[in-house]
Amino acid sequence: MASLAHILLDEGYEVRGSDTIKYINAQKALLERKVIIDSLSSEEYLNADIIIIGHFFFNKELINKLDKYSKIYFEYHDFLSNYLDQSKLISICGSHSKTTLVKLFSISNEYNSFLIGEGVGKKREEDLFFFLESCEYQNHFLKYKPREVIITNIDYDHVDYFKNENEYIKAFQNFIENSEKVYCLFDDAKKLKHKNMVTYGLNKNANYHIEIKEELEDEYLLSFYKETKELVTFNYARKPNHFLELIASVLSFYNEHNYDLNIILKNISNFTLPSQRFNVEEYRGNIIINDYCHHPSQIKYNLEQIDFFYKSIKKIAIFKPDRTSRLVYFKDRFIKELEKYDLSFVLDLANTEEIGSHSSIELCTSKIKYIKSIFELKKYLVENEKYAFSFMSSKNLNDEIKSTKFIIDEIKM
């Protein structure tokens, strides 16, 4: 919603919002643009010409009130489907890494418009493409009719809505039916059918792939191929394989559109990850990581990244589950991945719209501890030991991160 607000501001519209009073990172940029954010108890929105409603707030009580006052309103994805120019629309979808990939595209070309899930959006007056983060949850992305689709991966999720993996995959199949071209990670392309499918990745059998030619101290020497033809060789900061796959998708897209890949590579050379996507801070010799992990595959990748960058340091997982349905369905996989850390802790299940009697305690084993408060970490830490603290959740854990810094100060680590 914050991302959409920026786009509407760029287009010259007056924007005002209603939201929780708790501070959210995305609001800083909105306040800098003089956007007023009212409390949820305010009914200021009844004075608006058009009301756009986030998924969480789209409920019968609100709709009845808006109908009573004959207001024009849309749910978020319904508005976007009517507002955006479909002829320029490139949808970025997939189970994981959508936000990161859209951000890569956002800096790859100065003529791109984009909407990124971290609360950032930009509408350029003379754009060539509009890159839209398109979520599969409750089939919301089926409202969009993109010219082209880029799929990061397909890994069964949203188990509260999709009854099984086949139904989940079918959603992606339905989404790509009317698009002109589809780019898909090679490992997942066999799950889908399309008349114009372009595959990418690190696998040499993909239409486009990246090879690591040389591993230097701080960077890789990489080559990008179309089939067996080498298109470009370049240096890039050392990154895990999953990120290299995203670069492959960017280069694949631009080569299909006949762009100079050297210019694209220069533009993305200083890329920084989006908010809450493996954001790293060093604090008194320790590493603090803030990561958007709510699925077992994301936790697995989190540890792979820590091992990639900080192999010799002790690794601590602090995980806050975000949905009852995920906790229950992926319970065994959550446990399997969390037990791989040196120390693992689970916080209370986040407040959720799902009603149930389940608890984070269900993830506890001899190697995974439940903690009610982050300050309980203190008794498990050793003075003068250095740790990588990985905070993982789709929810905001900034308060827990601040408290952990206080603990580090107390122990004088």
Side-chain angles (χ1 to χ4, degrees), residues 212 214-222 235-241 243-244 307-310:
I212 300 174
E214 190 176 353
E215 186 173 337
L216 306 173
E217 184 177 354
D218 296 318
E219 62 182 15
Y220 283 143
L221 177 64
L222 304 167
N235 291 78
Y236 205 90
R238 289 178 70 249
K239 299 289 184 182
N241 285 353
F243 187 82
L244 298 183
D307 281 335
F308 186 87
F309 292 112
Y310 313 103

Side-chain angles (χ1 to χ4, degrees), residues 143-180:
K143 287 284 185 177
Y144 312 136
K145 306 300 178 188
R147 178 173 134 198
E148 298 182 13
V149 175
I150 303 173
I151 303 174
T152 57
N153 43 63
I154 302 176
D155 186 13
Y156 182 37
D157 195 11
H158 299 300
V159 295
D160 57 324
Y161 181 79
F162 297 104
K163 296 182 179 65
N164 52 57
E165 187 173 6
N166 287 336
E167 189 175 294
Y168 184 73
I169 294 171
K170 186 179 179 181
F172 286 90
Q173 181 63 51
N174 290 339
F175 182 48
I176 66 175
E177 291 291 345
N178 297 314
S179 57
E180 294 177 10

